[in-house]
């Protein structure tokens, strides 16, 4: 018996930037469709996930990380080795 995967492609991305510029609000809108005008500051790392259906019917799993402007070097190393892109 084989189990079909839940998604066809997986995409991991990290957003790193100055505090209070809207990184968390942007990803909350992308994943939940809701914009949070007021949000607590991200401490360390936060993540969001969304399953997107492509036009051809394929499923794309988006795993999105957010980090502060100056994350710990060990955290940066870990995230850079586990994501496919940085913004």
């Amino acid at each position: 018996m084989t189990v079909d995967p839940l998604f066809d492609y997986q995409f991991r991305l990290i957003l790193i930037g100055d505090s209070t510029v809207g990184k968390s609000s942007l990803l909350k809108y992308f994943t939940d469709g809701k914009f949070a005008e007021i949000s607590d500051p991200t401490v360390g790392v936060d993540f969001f996930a969304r399953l997107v259906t492509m036009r051809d019917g394929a499923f794309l799993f988006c795993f999105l990380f957010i980090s502060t402007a100056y994350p710990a070097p060990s955290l940066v190393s870990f995230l850079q080795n586990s994501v496919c892109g940085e913004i």
Side-chain angles (χ1 to χ4, degrees):
M1 179 170 116
T2 60
V3 177
D4 290 332
L6 297 176
F7 50 85
D8 300 297
Y9 304 99
Q10 183 176 12
F11 184 76
R12 289 181 258 165
L13 182 73
I14 182 170
L15 273 71
I16 299 174
D18 293 334
S19 59
T20 66
V21 295
K23 296 179 300 293
S24 295
S25 295
L26 176 69
L27 292 187
K28 178 105 174 137
Y29 184 78
F30 177 71
T31 56
D32 297 341
K34 299 175 186 171
F35 181 75
E37 291 186 31
I38 299 174
S39 140
D40 293 329
T42 302
V43 176
V45 173
D46 199 1
F47 69 91
F48 296 83
R50 178 176 175 188
L51 187 63
V52 178
T53 305
M54 306 301 286
R55 289 184 186 163
D56 64 357
F59 292 105
L60 170 65
F61 181 70
C62 300
F63 198 67
L64 309 157
F65 296 91
I66 299 173
S67 183
T68 59
Y70 304 103
S74 60
L75 179 63
V76 171
S77 177
F78 166 75
L79 290 173
Q80 286 176 334
N81 291 327
S82 64
V83 299
C84 61
E86 297 177 54
I87 295 179

